[in-house]
Amino acid sequence: MLTITFTVPDLARMRLAVSPLWEVVASVRLLRTRRPHQFHGRWARTARERIAGTELGLLFDLIDPDVWYLADFLTPPPQSPLPELEGELGALRRVSPDQVRADLDVLAYARRHPLGSLTEVQLPRRLRPPAPGDLPSQAVADLYADPAAGITRLADQISAYWELAIAPHWGRIRALLDSDVMYRGRQLGQAGPAGLFADLADTVRWRDGTLFIRHRRFQGARQLAGEGFLLIPSAFVWPTVHSSTIPPWQPTLTYPARGVATLWDDSAQATPAGLAAVLGNSRAALLCLLDAPRSTTDLARRTAMTAGGVSQHLSALRSGGLVTAHRAGRVVLYARTAVAEALLESAGQSSGR
């Protein structure tokens, strides 16, 4: 069990952000698992085919699903809520050589010790440098020897992997992550930390100013001291969560975004006949699809309507008080209102009798 105790300044500095770089790291970790979950099975098969023959050795060697530690320099905390990959790669390139080596010292320690303790790794500079065989490959050893050249090589591999495995699907992944950030922000605003963490993951709970995270192979206690806390939703970390609590990095929790089970599902939901009779088939179908906030492009793809047609129907639904719109970076996400939820519930009950 890992416990993280918050001060008032930490609560004030708690924030949510999307991270394209985290999606690269989490998806590589998933590809390296023996049997990726069925949620991502189709994506995993396609991604493996697309990256075959591409030089990605350093990236893949650094991410081992059987080791409890993930080198923190791989995922510098995003400085804005909705960063682009290039901006995050810029932050990666600016990580100091000393910090790269310090994180690799922890990685070597984690490979030697299958069960980790925060007490022992809280100050990485006190760990002994890796011995031969402590690091996962010669490519990672070369990174340790020359961090500047190695980070450049790593950033190039991340860019290549992104274009092949993530970029073709980024629209739908980004919509999923943005909708989660919108939901969590609303929960935080309405109910504070208790509401924010209430349904975040089965292994996470909040009580009296302390966050409890159940890890299978890591334990310890972390007293925050004004650093704040960062939460990052991910499409690929399910069913686990990943915590980063070793100084000097900002304490971070990466967790499964809501609705990840439907990420690759293009099937349309059944539309209650009574609702279609009142609103029309197209508007009723769009309302049913807004079980999570979605963009016009996502809705057009799921319904085979044109983006212009979807936009017209959404405008009508907004005028009727059934849909709201929220801007998330460059994208506008649409969500059902409480009136729409009640209408759908009533229509579903009526069709079931």
Side-chain angles (χ1 to χ4, degrees):
M1 179 73 73
L2 173 66
T3 62
I4 304 175
T5 304
F6 288 67
T7 65
V8 172
D10 292 305
L11 293 175
R13 295 187 62 194
M14 190 151 51
R15 63 190 181 96
L16 292 137
V18 168
S19 171
L21 192 50
W22 245 113
E23 294 311 280
V24 168
V25 170
S27 64
V28 168
R29 191 174 188 276
L30 183 143
L31 286 178
R32 291 205 59 190
T33 59
R34 293 176 181 84
R35 295 180 62 185
H37 194 276
Q38 60 183 359
F39 291 166
H40 298 295
R42 184 177 65 179
W43 169 84
R45 289 190 295 272
T46 302
R48 287 193 178 103
E49 292 172 358
R50 291 178 63 87
I51 66 175
T54 305
E55 177 48 53
L56 302 171
L58 177 56
L59 173 62
F60 272 63
D61 289 344
L62 281 166
I63 303 169
D64 187 343
D66 295 324
V67 176
W68 53 261
Y69 176 72
L70 177 68
D72 287 319
F73 69 79
L74 282 167
T75 52
Q79 299 304 304
S80 67
L82 303 168
E84 300 294 334
L85 179 67
E86 280 308 311
E88 291 200 289
L89 287 178
L92 172 63
R93 293 186 181 99
R94 290 191 295 273
V95 176
S96 72
D98 286 345
Q99 188 60 54
V100 172
R101 291 194 178 101
D103 288 354
L104 291 178
D105 288 343
V106 181
L107 178 61
Y109 171 90
R111 285 168 54 82
R112 296 192 304 267
H113 299 84
L115 299 178
S117 168
L118 180 59
T119 304
E120 296 176 10
V121 298
Q122 195 160 1
L123 297 174
R125 63 180 178 272
R126 294 182 179 174
L127 297 177
R128 69 172 174 83
D134 281 349
L135 294 174
S137 69
Q138 185 59 49
V140 178
D142 291 342
L143 170 63
Y144 194 96
D146 187 353
I151 287 294
T152 297
R153 189 179 312 115
L154 177 62
D156 290 343
Q157 292 186 13
I158 289 172
S159 293
Y161 175 85
W162 171 271
E163 291 301 324
L164 294 170
I166 303 294
H169 314 289
W170 182 234
R172 67 167 66 189
I173 294 171
R174 178 64 179 268
L176 178 79
L177 303 180
D178 286 345
S179 67
D180 185 277
V181 168
M182 184 188 304
Y183 170 80
R184 297 290 165 199
R186 186 166 63 243
Q187 291 293 97
L188 180 62
Q190 293 176 349
L196 173 66
F197 293 113
D199 61 347
L200 190 139
D202 291 341
T203 55
V204 175
R205 64 186 170 88
W206 171 269
R207 188 177 71 233
D208 300 330
T210 299
L211 189 64
F212 299 85
I213 306 170
R214 190 171 68 251
H215 287 302
R216 187 163 58 92
R217 292 177 293 178
F218 189 75
Q219 62 183 359
R222 179 75 150 84
Q223 173 70 59
L224 300 186
E227 308 107 304
F229 195 70
L230 174 62
L231 292 112
I232 298 177
S234 172
F236 293 102
V237 298
W238 192 94
T240 62
V241 298
H242 183 93
S243 59
S244 175
T245 51
I246 300 173
W249 301 102
Q250 182 179 22
T252 301
L253 182 67
T254 307
Y255 63 92
R258 294 174 75 248
V260 67
T262 65
L263 178 61
W264 310 112
D265 182 9
D266 293 322
S267 60
Q269 299 183 27
T271 305
L275 189 65
V278 174
L279 298 178
N281 288 326
S282 296
R283 292 174 187 175
L286 289 172
L287 207 58
C288 288
L289 283 169
L290 289 175
D291 54 333
R294 303 188 192 281
S295 66
T296 300
T297 302
D298 188 24
L299 290 168
R301 177 180 54 79
R302 291 171 181 267
T303 59
M305 300 183 201
T306 65
V310 168
S311 183
Q312 289 180 355
H313 289 309
L314 290 173
S315 294
L317 291 170
R318 285 186 70 187
S319 298
L322 299 178
V323 167
T324 59
H326 308 269
R327 179 166 292 281
R330 301 176 183 176
V331 178
V332 176
L333 296 175
Y334 294 87
R336 294 193 298 235
T337 64
V339 174
E341 296 287 357
L343 185 62
L344 279 165
E345 182 178 358
S346 177
Q349 290 174 349
S350 298
S351 64
R353 284 200 292 264

